[in-house]
């Protein structure tokens, strides 16, 4: 007799595409994986705008490789979502008409080269903390995609850290630029982990289904505990006067996160929401001829 959905979850094994699964489990996964895939491709924009302005050939090559990796991550994730019975066209339509989300973090601007370092260190750093547990997610295709993504994210994080370290140990103007970028990205990075546990609508069910392994606040705290000593090595400060080690808790205490800003960004009113979506829709329209040519070629091959 084949194992039921609950047996597989209880045994901490993987659900595969052909296994029976509750509709709500399927819907939750489609929502989360699609949101994750959309974040990867929208996430190419803030950094993509710096490829032509990178300060050296080496920096340009590194940034180009990173942005290409993000397109690849989108590809693995759309592929994982497709195993749940949705098409890539449907998912992109849902992004373009606002029925599905992408991460709040990509609605912030990147005015200086140092933002490339801050994104790598903090945004990719937060992404790793959030994504490593997803390698043990109960849905097989998503868990396997995450293994490869996490390896690439570690390279991304290291390149950002090294970039910021170089600036922080450069001229006073470079150090100032690095500090200002960290000041800009710190709080939005903390918001990437989602609302506080008391307000997280999906966490309890997603944890019961072993899609999520930790709560939003647990992962946020893990990230803060990692970032504080790293900031010290960089010689930069984090823009929170209330950050201090709490020996009783064995964690850093931190100041209040401005959740009203998070809600504004989710509602579409962040500094770059309109530009990001306009650019995405334009890129999709500009690519229509490529999709038409590729599917015409595939149809001809099938007919041959
Ligand atoms: N931004 O019940 P909750 C990257 C929404 S890409 C926007 O806690 P959940 C990278 C949430 O969807 C980073 N929306 O939700 C790429 C829900 O709304 P709906 C992307 C957010 O799903 C390029 C509502 O708030 N990573 O790393 O249990 C370059 C309530 O939240 C956000 C992933 O997507 C947010 N930050 O937990 C560099 C990782 N947070 O759908 C880097 C996979 C929450 O009910 N995703 N919402 O309308 C996850 O781990 C989970 O989906 C989250 C949220 C922890 C993000």
């Amino acid at each position: 007799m084949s194992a039921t959905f609950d047996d597989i979850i209880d045994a901490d094994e993987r659900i595969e595409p052909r296994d029976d699964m509750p509709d709500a489990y399927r819907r939750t996964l489609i929502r989360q994986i699609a949101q994750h895939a959309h974040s990867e491709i929208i996430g190419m924009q803030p950094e993509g705008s710096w490829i032509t302005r990178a300060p050296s050939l080496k920096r340009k090559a590194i940034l180009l490789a990173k942005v290409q990796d993000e397109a690849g991550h989108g590809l693995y994730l759309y592929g994982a979502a497709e195993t749940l019975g949705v098409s890539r066209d449907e998912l992109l339509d849902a992004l373009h008409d606002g029925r599905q989300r992408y991460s709040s973090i990509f609605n912030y601007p990147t005015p200086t080269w140092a933002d490339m370092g801050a994104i790598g260190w903090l945004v990719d750093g937060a992404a790793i903390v959030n994504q490593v547990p997803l390698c043990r997610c109960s849905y097989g295709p998503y868990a396997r995609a995450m293994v490869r993504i996490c390896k690439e994210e570690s390279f991304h994080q290291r390149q950002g850290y090294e970039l910021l370290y170089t600036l922080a140990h450069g001229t006073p103007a470079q150090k100032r630029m690095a500090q200002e970028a960290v000041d800009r990205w710190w709080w939005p990075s903390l918001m990437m982990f989602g609302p506080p546990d008391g307000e997280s609508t999906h966490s309890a069910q997603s944890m019961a289904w072993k899609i999520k392994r930790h709560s939003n606040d647990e992962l946020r705290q893990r990230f803060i505990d990692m970032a504080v000593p790293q900031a010290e090595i960089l010689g930069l400060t984090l823009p929170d006067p209330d950050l201090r080690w709490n020996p009783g808790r064995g964690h850093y205490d931190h100041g209040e996160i401005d959740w009203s800003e998070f809600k504004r960004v989710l509602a579409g009113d962040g500094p770059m929401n309109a530009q990001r979506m306009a650019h995405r829709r334009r890129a999709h329209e500009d690519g229509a001829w490529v999709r038409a040519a590729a599917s015409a070629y595939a149809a001809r091959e099938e007919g041959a």
Side-chain angles (χ1 to χ4, degrees):
M1 200 183 76
S2 64
T4 65
F5 175 81
D6 288 335
D7 294 336
I8 297 173
I9 297 289
D10 289 346
D12 221 347
E13 285 170 6
R14 299 284 165 270
I15 303 290
E16 296 299 337
R18 288 199 184 85
D19 291 333
D20 283 333
M21 60 185 96
D23 271 355
Y25 176 81
R26 188 185 296 275
R27 278 198 307 275
T28 291
L29 278 168
I30 292 174
R31 177 186 63 79
Q32 178 166 329
I33 301 173
Q35 176 168 326
H36 197 165
H38 300 329
S39 305
E40 296 286 354
I41 61 164
I42 298 265
M44 295 167 75
Q45 291 186 36
E47 293 173 300
S49 73
W50 275 95
I51 291 172
T52 53
R53 296 175 289 166
S56 71
L57 182 61
K58 183 176 141 203
R59 292 288 182 200
K60 190 198 283 270
I62 295 171
L63 187 60
L64 202 55
K66 178 180 194 283
V67 174
Q68 280 179 345
D69 283 352
E70 279 147 15
H73 296 175
L75 206 60
Y76 317 150
L77 289 164
Y78 284 119
E82 282 177 314
T83 66
L84 290 157
V86 278
S87 71
R88 200 169 310 181
D89 285 347
E90 285 172 72
L91 297 175
L92 285 172
D93 285 349
L95 169 65
H96 295 152
D97 63 25
R99 280 175 291 124
Q100 285 177 348
R101 301 182 183 284
Y102 60 91
S103 178
S104 51
I105 194 72
F106 300 116
N107 293 306
Y108 291 86
T110 46
T112 72
W113 172 249
D115 291 280
M116 300 305 96
I119 289 184
W121 175 40
L122 296 173
V123 176
D124 289 281
I128 293 171
V129 171
N130 166 265
Q131 290 171 11
V132 165
L134 291 174
C135 300
R136 292 188 295 118
C137 159
S138 58
Y139 188 59
Y142 190 30
R144 290 188 288 274
M146 291 318 303
V147 172
R148 183 154 168 192
I149 291 178
C150 284
K151 287 189 178 144
E152 293 174 354
E153 297 285 18
S154 330
F155 153 67
H156 296 173
Q157 202 252 0
R158 290 297 289 269
Q159 71 81 37
Y161 193 75
E162 192 269 340
L163 195 166
L164 267 191
Y165 189 92
T166 305
L167 289 176
H169 293 80
T171 64
Q174 287 173 320
K175 179 163 188 185
R176 200 163 48 246
M177 185 165 63
Q179 183 61 60
E180 286 169 2
V182 169
D183 292 347
R184 271 195 291 280
W185 290 92
W186 175 249
W187 292 105
S189 299
L190 299 187
M191 294 174 196
M192 281 177 75
F193 293 92
D197 289 353
E199 291 173 32
S200 167
T201 41
H202 303 290
S203 279
Q205 183 60 72
S206 288
M207 286 168 74
W209 279 329
K210 298 181 180 167
I211 296 172
K212 283 169 91 161
R213 296 284 179 159
H214 306 278
S215 77
N216 298 353
D217 285 335
E218 277 167 18
L219 293 176
R220 190 170 7 252
Q221 181 73 61
R222 192 177 287 184
F223 172 68
I224 293 169
D225 291 346
M226 271 174 43
V228 174
Q230 291 174 350
E232 281 165 16
I233 296 169
L234 285 173
L236 298 174
T237 57
L238 294 169
D240 178 358
D242 296 325
L243 261 183
R244 67 183 57 86
W245 181 249
N246 180 331
R249 289 202 311 126
H251 292 291
Y252 283 92
D253 288 337
H254 60 88
E256 194 72 18
I257 296 172
D258 180 1
W259 291 112
S260 64
E261 175 180 320
F262 177 71
K263 286 180 187 147
R264 260 199 323 278
V265 173
L266 256 61
D269 195 19
M272 298 295 283
N273 293 58
Q275 288 92 325
R276 297 287 184 243
M277 284 310 297
H279 187 90
R280 170 95 276 285
R281 290 193 189 99
R282 199 167 55 244
H284 191 68
E285 283 159 22
D286 288 350
W289 70 271
V290 180
R291 291 190 297 279
S295 53
Y297 183 76
R300 207 186 65 168
E301 287 285 286
E302 270 167 29

